Amino acid sequence: MKAAIFGATSQIAKDLIMSFAHHTDYKCVLFVRDPAIVDDWLNKVDIHKDYRISDYTGFSADDSYDVIINFVGVGNPSQAKEMGSSILDITYLYDTMVL
């Protein structure tokens, strides 16, 4: 199975990536704003699967995935409050990209 994971730096995404790495042979593409952060994390937790890491500009509708999982969002309630209604714009942007 080939999976695209948006928001791969979120804690829930990291938990899923670790589970996939240890229990499946899924091919994953990890999409984030800063690929270096995920690369460092994969090395830190000793995951050496052949996962591709990309920023969001690397996502293309021409690519084929069996599943796209979207973890993009704000996990900190105070940060969400500061963002106000702009959080809806961000959600819309990434949801539209996936669709």
Side-chain angles (χ1 to χ4, degrees), residues 8-10 14 30 32-45 53:
T9 56
S10 80
K14 288 178 179 179
L30 312 177
V32 293
R33 286 182 299 225
D34 186 350
I37 292 172
V38 175
D39 189 49
D40 290 344
W41 173 76
L42 289 173
N43 288 320
K44 180 180 175 184
V45 296
I53 305 167

Side-chain angles (χ1 to χ4, degrees), residues 16-31:
L16 181 65
I17 292 163
M18 288 186 72
S19 180
F20 281 178
H22 292 110
H23 303 290
T24 75
D25 61 351
Y26 296 166
K27 306 293 181 206
C28 295
V29 182
L30 312 177
F31 290 96

Side-chain angles (χ1 to χ4, degrees), residues 30-80:
L30 312 177
F31 290 96
V32 293
R33 286 182 299 225
D34 186 350
I37 292 172
V38 175
D39 189 49
D40 290 344
W41 173 76
L42 289 173
N43 288 320
K44 180 180 175 184
V45 296
D46 202 29
I47 294 176
H48 299 287
K49 293 276 187 161
D50 189 23
Y51 292 159
R52 194 175 103 213
I53 305 167
S54 177
D55 64 18
Y56 294 104
T57 61
F59 182 78
S60 170
D62 296 330
D63 292 336
S64 177
Y65 298 99
D66 297 301
V67 63
I68 301 172
I69 306 169
N70 184 0
F71 290 107
V72 173
V74 178
N76 181 328
S78 63
Q79 189 178 19

Side-chain angles (χ1 to χ4, degrees), residues 75-87:
N76 181 328
S78 63
Q79 189 178 19
K81 184 178 178 180
E82 284 179 26
M83 293 178 72
S85 64
S86 70
I87 196 169

